[in-house]
PDB file of all heavy atoms in Angstrom:
ATOM      1  N   ALA V  47      78.709 102.934 114.631  1.00 58.00           N
ATOM      2  CA  ALA V  47      79.002 101.519 114.360  1.00 58.00           C
ATOM      3  C   ALA V  47      80.151 101.038 115.239  1.00 58.00           C
ATOM      4  O   ALA V  47      80.135  99.932 115.767  1.00 58.00           O
ATOM      5  CB  ALA V  47      79.358 101.346 112.895  1.00 58.00           C
ATOM      6  N   ASP V  50      78.918 100.299 118.666  1.00 62.00           N
ATOM      7  CA  ASP V  50      78.143  99.048 118.711  1.00 62.00           C
ATOM      8  C   ASP V  50      79.066  97.842 118.624  1.00 62.00           C
ATOM      9  O   ASP V  50      78.780  96.777 119.131  1.00 62.00           O
ATOM     10  CB  ASP V  50      77.154  98.990 117.543  1.00 62.00           C
ATOM     11  CG  ASP V  50      76.012  99.977 117.747  1.00 62.00           C
ATOM     12  OD1 ASP V  50      75.952 100.530 118.859  1.00 62.00           O
ATOM     13  OD2 ASP V  50      75.221 100.190 116.821  1.00 62.00           O
ATOM     14  N   GLU V  51      80.181  98.071 117.927  1.00 60.00           N
ATOM     15  CA  GLU V  51      81.120  96.985 117.636  1.00 60.00           C
ATOM     16  C   GLU V  51      81.548  96.229 118.886  1.00 60.00           C
ATOM     17  O   GLU V  51      81.580  95.002 118.907  1.00 60.00           O
ATOM     18  CB  GLU V  51      82.341  97.606 116.969  1.00 60.00           C
ATOM     19  CG  GLU V  51      83.405  96.643 116.613  1.00 60.00           C
ATOM     20  CD  GLU V  51      83.426  96.353 115.121  1.00 60.00           C
ATOM     21  OE1 GLU V  51      82.434  95.854 114.613  1.00 60.00           O
ATOM     22  OE2 GLU V  51      84.430  96.635 114.499  1.00 60.00           O
ATOM     23  N   SER V  52      81.907  96.987 119.935  1.00 67.00           N
ATOM     24  CA  SER V  52      82.495  96.359 121.120  1.00 67.00           C
ATOM     25  C   SER V  52      81.579  95.294 121.729  1.00 67.00           C
ATOM     26  O   SER V  52      82.051  94.350 122.362  1.00 67.00           O
ATOM     27  CB  SER V  52      82.835  97.418 122.161  1.00 67.00           C
ATOM     28  OG  SER V  52      81.703  98.233 122.361  1.00 67.00           O
ATOM     29  N   LYS V  53      80.287  95.406 121.484  1.00 72.00           N
ATOM     30  CA  LYS V  53      79.360  94.415 122.046  1.00 72.00           C
ATOM     31  C   LYS V  53      79.509  93.052 121.364  1.00 72.00           C
ATOM     32  O   LYS V  53      79.292  92.016 121.974  1.00 72.00           O
ATOM     33  CB  LYS V  53      77.906  94.899 121.862  1.00 72.00           C
ATOM     34  CG  LYS V  53      77.553  96.104 122.721  1.00 72.00           C
ATOM     35  CD  LYS V  53      76.066  96.174 122.953  1.00 72.00           C
ATOM     36  CE  LYS V  53      75.311  96.723 121.756  1.00 72.00           C
ATOM     37  NZ  LYS V  53      75.331  98.185 121.660  1.00 72.00           N
ATOM     38  N   HIS V  54      79.864  93.073 120.066  1.00 74.00           N
ATOM     39  CA  HIS V  54      79.854  91.830 119.290  1.00 74.00           C
ATOM     40  C   HIS V  54      81.220  91.164 119.176  1.00 74.00           C
ATOM     41  O   HIS V  54      81.382  90.193 118.459  1.00 74.00           O
ATOM     42  CB  HIS V  54      79.338  92.103 117.874  1.00 74.00           C
ATOM     43  CG  HIS V  54      77.940  92.629 117.855  1.00 74.00           C
ATOM     44  ND1 HIS V  54      76.890  91.935 118.381  1.00 74.00           N
ATOM     45  CD2 HIS V  54      77.433  93.802 117.392  1.00 74.00           C
ATOM     46  CE1 HIS V  54      75.780  92.645 118.238  1.00 74.00           C
ATOM     47  NE2 HIS V  54      76.083  93.792 117.648  1.00 74.00           N
ATOM     48  N   LEU V  55      82.222  91.738 119.838  1.00 79.00           N
ATOM     49  CA  LEU V  55      83.574  91.202 119.665  1.00 79.00           C
ATOM     50  C   LEU V  55      83.706  89.782 120.216  1.00 79.00           C
ATOM     51  O   LEU V  55      83.284  89.487 121.318  1.00 79.00           O
ATOM     52  CB  LEU V  55      84.601  92.110 120.356  1.00 79.00           C
ATOM     53  CG  LEU V  55      84.825  93.462 119.687  1.00 79.00           C
ATOM     54  CD1 LEU V  55      85.852  94.265 120.449  1.00 79.00           C
ATOM     55  CD2 LEU V  55      85.283  93.294 118.252  1.00 79.00           C
ATOM     56  N   VAL V  56      84.326  88.916 119.422  1.00 81.00           N
ATOM     57  CA  VAL V  56      84.624  87.559 119.902  1.00 81.00           C
ATOM     58  C   VAL V  56      86.097  87.282 119.604  1.00 81.00           C
ATOM     59  O   VAL V  56      86.674  87.885 118.706  1.00 81.00           O
ATOM     60  CB  VAL V  56      83.750  86.494 119.193  1.00 81.00           C
ATOM     61  CG1 VAL V  56      82.289  86.681 119.525  1.00 81.00           C
ATOM     62  CG2 VAL V  56      83.963  86.519 117.703  1.00 81.00           C
ATOM     63  N   PRO V  57      86.710  86.374 120.367  1.00 82.00           N
ATOM     64  CA  PRO V  57      88.126  86.073 120.112  1.00 82.00           C
ATOM     65  C   PRO V  57      88.323  85.544 118.697  1.00 82.00           C
ATOM     66  O   PRO V  57      87.471  84.826 118.180  1.00 82.00           O
ATOM     67  CB  PRO V  57      88.432  84.976 121.133  1.00 82.00           C
ATOM     68  CG  PRO V  57      87.402  85.112 122.184  1.00 82.00           C
ATOM     69  CD  PRO V  57      86.179  85.641 121.507  1.00 82.00           C
ATOM     70  N   ARG V  58      89.432  85.947 118.079  1.00 83.00           N
ATOM     71  CA  ARG V  58      89.724  85.443 116.735  1.00 83.00           C
ATOM     72  C   ARG V  58      91.101  84.785 116.740  1.00 83.00           C
ATOM     73  O   ARG V  58      91.936  85.089 117.594  1.00 83.00           O
ATOM     74  CB  ARG V  58      89.696  86.584 115.728  1.00 83.00           C
ATOM     75  CG  ARG V  58      90.827  87.587 115.920  1.00 83.00           C
ATOM     76  CD  ARG V  58      90.955  88.478 114.704  1.00 83.00           C
ATOM     77  NE  ARG V  58      91.920  89.554 114.875  1.00 83.00           N
ATOM     78  CZ  ARG V  58      93.222  89.427 114.681  1.00 83.00           C
ATOM     79  NH1 ARG V  58      93.745  88.268 114.361  1.00 83.00           N
ATOM     80  NH2 ARG V  58      94.032  90.481 114.833  1.00 83.00           N
ATOM     81  N   LYS V 232      90.618  90.134 119.108  1.00 81.00           N
ATOM     82  CA  LYS V 232      89.168  89.977 118.957  1.00 81.00           C
ATOM     83  C   LYS V 232      88.725  90.584 117.628  1.00 81.00           C
ATOM     84  O   LYS V 232      89.400  91.434 117.064  1.00 81.00           O
ATOM     85  CB  LYS V 232      88.443  90.698 120.097  1.00 81.00           C
ATOM     86  CG  LYS V 232      88.592  90.013 121.441  1.00 81.00           C
ATOM     87  CD  LYS V 232      87.628  90.639 122.450  1.00 81.00           C
ATOM     88  CE  LYS V 232      87.467  89.785 123.688  1.00 81.00           C
ATOM     89  NZ  LYS V 232      88.536  89.934 124.656  1.00 81.00           N
ATOM     90  N   ALA V 233      87.578  90.118 117.148  1.00 81.00           N
ATOM     91  CA  ALA V 233      86.997  90.701 115.933  1.00 81.00           C
ATOM     92  C   ALA V 233      85.490  90.546 116.005  1.00 81.00           C
ATOM     93  O   ALA V 233      84.991  89.734 116.763  1.00 81.00           O
ATOM     94  CB  ALA V 233      87.552  89.996 114.706  1.00 81.00           C
ATOM     95  N   ASN V 234      84.809  91.344 115.204  1.00 80.00           N
ATOM     96  CA  ASN V 234      83.361  91.278 115.176  1.00 80.00           C
ATOM     97  C   ASN V 234      82.901  90.502 113.944  1.00 80.00           C
ATOM     98  O   ASN V 234      82.988  91.012 112.833  1.00 80.00           O
ATOM     99  CB  ASN V 234      82.804  92.709 115.141  1.00 80.00           C
ATOM    100  CG  ASN V 234      81.306  92.734 114.957  1.00 80.00           C
ATOM    101  OD1 ASN V 234      80.644  91.701 115.009  1.00 80.00           O
ATOM    102  ND2 ASN V 234      80.770  93.914 114.731  1.00 80.00           N
ATOM    103  N   PRO V 235      82.424  89.268 114.127  1.00 80.00           N
ATOM    104  CA  PRO V 235      82.039  88.467 112.959  1.00 80.00           C
ATOM    105  C   PRO V 235      80.735  88.942 112.304  1.00 80.00           C
ATOM    106  O   PRO V 235      80.413  88.553 111.195  1.00 80.00           O
ATOM    107  CB  PRO V 235      81.854  87.062 113.540  1.00 80.00           C
ATOM    108  CG  PRO V 235      81.591  87.269 114.983  1.00 80.00           C
ATOM    109  CD  PRO V 235      82.246  88.551 115.391  1.00 80.00           C
ATOM    110  N   LYS V 236      79.988  89.821 113.024  1.00 82.00           N
ATOM    111  CA  LYS V 236      78.692  90.251 112.472  1.00 82.00           C
ATOM    112  C   LYS V 236      78.822  91.486 111.570  1.00 82.00           C
ATOM    113  O   LYS V 236      77.868  91.872 110.907  1.00 82.00           O
ATOM    114  CB  LYS V 236      77.730  90.579 113.624  1.00 82.00           C
ATOM    115  CG  LYS V 236      77.323  89.355 114.428  1.00 82.00           C
ATOM    116  CD  LYS V 236      76.090  89.669 115.276  1.00 82.00           C
ATOM    117  CE  LYS V 236      75.508  88.437 115.928  1.00 82.00           C
ATOM    118  NZ  LYS V 236      76.288  87.976 117.093  1.00 82.00           N
ATOM    119  N   ALA V 237      79.989  92.103 111.581  1.00 80.00           N
ATOM    120  CA  ALA V 237      80.162  93.339 110.802  1.00 80.00           C
ATOM    121  C   ALA V 237      80.204  93.030 109.313  1.00 80.00           C
ATOM    122  O   ALA V 237      80.246  91.884 108.909  1.00 80.00           O
ATOM    123  CB  ALA V 237      81.459  94.012 111.221  1.00 80.00           C
ATOM    124  N   GLU V 238      80.230  94.092 108.499  1.00 84.00           N
ATOM    125  CA  GLU V 238      80.460  93.902 107.067  1.00 84.00           C
ATOM    126  C   GLU V 238      81.903  93.449 106.914  1.00 84.00           C
ATOM    127  O   GLU V 238      82.802  93.977 107.554  1.00 84.00           O
ATOM    128  CB  GLU V 238      80.283  95.235 106.336  1.00 84.00           C
ATOM    129  CG  GLU V 238      78.925  95.849 106.505  1.00 84.00           C
ATOM    130  CD  GLU V 238      78.231  96.067 105.165  1.00 84.00           C
ATOM    131  OE1 GLU V 238      78.707  96.899 104.384  1.00 84.00           O
ATOM    132  OE2 GLU V 238      77.225  95.383 104.911  1.00 84.00           O
ATOM    133  N   ALA V 239      82.115  92.489 106.041  1.00 85.00           N
ATOM    134  CA  ALA V 239      83.460  91.906 105.931  1.00 85.00           C
ATOM    135  C   ALA V 239      84.474  92.912 105.397  1.00 85.00           C
ATOM    136  O   ALA V 239      84.178  93.708 104.519  1.00 85.00           O
ATOM    137  CB  ALA V 239      83.409  90.704 105.012  1.00 85.00           C
ATOM    138  N   VAL V 260      90.350  87.623 106.013  1.00 86.00           N
ATOM    139  CA  VAL V 260      89.245  88.428 106.541  1.00 86.00           C
ATOM    140  C   VAL V 260      89.688  88.948 107.899  1.00 86.00           C
ATOM    141  O   VAL V 260      90.128  88.179 108.739  1.00 86.00           O
ATOM    142  CB  VAL V 260      87.987  87.556 106.691  1.00 86.00           C
ATOM    143  CG1 VAL V 260      86.824  88.397 107.192  1.00 86.00           C
ATOM    144  CG2 VAL V 260      87.629  86.911 105.355  1.00 86.00           C
ATOM    145  N   GLN V 261      89.608  90.261 108.119  1.00 84.00           N
ATOM    146  CA  GLN V 261      90.036  90.793 109.409  1.00 84.00           C
ATOM    147  C   GLN V 261      88.872  91.013 110.353  1.00 84.00           C
ATOM    148  O   GLN V 261      88.982  90.792 111.537  1.00 84.00           O
ATOM    149  CB  GLN V 261      90.809  92.101 109.214  1.00 84.00           C
ATOM    150  CG  GLN V 261      92.224  91.841 108.755  1.00 84.00           C
ATOM    151  CD  GLN V 261      93.001  93.126 108.658  1.00 84.00           C
ATOM    152  OE1 GLN V 261      92.643  94.019 107.902  1.00 84.00           O
ATOM    153  NE2 GLN V 261      94.056  93.246 109.412  1.00 84.00           N
ATOM    154  N   ARG V 262      87.758  91.486 109.790  1.00 83.00           N
ATOM    155  CA  ARG V 262      86.561  91.566 110.631  1.00 83.00           C
ATOM    156  C   ARG V 262      85.362  91.235 109.765  1.00 83.00           C
ATOM    157  O   ARG V 262      85.411  91.321 108.550  1.00 83.00           O
ATOM    158  CB  ARG V 262      86.421  92.944 111.272  1.00 83.00           C
ATOM    159  CG  ARG V 262      86.510  94.109 110.334  1.00 83.00           C
ATOM    160  CD  ARG V 262      86.420  95.407 111.094  1.00 83.00           C
ATOM    161  NE  ARG V 262      85.088  95.621 111.615  1.00 83.00           N
ATOM    162  CZ  ARG V 262      84.240  96.539 111.133  1.00 83.00           C
ATOM    163  NH1 ARG V 262      84.574  97.283 110.113  1.00 83.00           N
ATOM    164  NH2 ARG V 262      83.057  96.706 111.672  1.00 83.00           N
ATOM    165  N   GLY V 263      84.272  90.873 110.428  1.00 84.00           N
ATOM    166  CA  GLY V 263      83.087  90.491 109.673  1.00 84.00           C
ATOM    167  C   GLY V 263      83.232  89.082 109.127  1.00 84.00           C
ATOM    168  O   GLY V 263      84.242  88.407 109.340  1.00 84.00           O
ATOM    169  N   THR V 264      82.203  88.634 108.422  1.00 86.00           N
ATOM    170  CA  THR V 264      82.241  87.297 107.829  1.00 86.00           C
ATOM    171  C   THR V 264      81.976  87.448 106.347  1.00 86.00           C
ATOM    172  O   THR V 264      80.996  88.077 105.947  1.00 86.00           O
ATOM    173  CB  THR V 264      81.152  86.404 108.478  1.00 86.00           C
ATOM    174  OG1 THR V 264      81.378  86.394 109.885  1.00 86.00           O
ATOM    175  CG2 THR V 264      81.233  84.994 107.961  1.00 86.00           C
ATOM    176  N   PRO V 296      86.325  85.850 110.759  1.00 85.00           N
ATOM    177  CA  PRO V 296      87.541  86.655 110.918  1.00 85.00           C
ATOM    178  C   PRO V 296      88.803  85.814 111.054  1.00 85.00           C
ATOM    179  O   PRO V 296      88.769  84.728 111.620  1.00 85.00           O
ATOM    180  CB  PRO V 296      87.279  87.435 112.206  1.00 85.00           C
ATOM    181  CG  PRO V 296      85.823  87.515 112.312  1.00 85.00           C
ATOM    182  CD  PRO V 296      85.278  86.253 111.706  1.00 85.00           C
TER     183      PRO V 296
END
Side-chain angles (χ1 to χ4, degrees):
D50 288 351
E51 179 105 299
S52 51
K53 291 204 282 279
H54 299 301
L55 289 180
V56 296
R58 68 165 174 84
K232 289 191 165 81
N234 174 8
K236 292 196 171 76
E238 301 238 293
V260 182
Q261 282 184 299
R262 51 183 289 252
T264 303

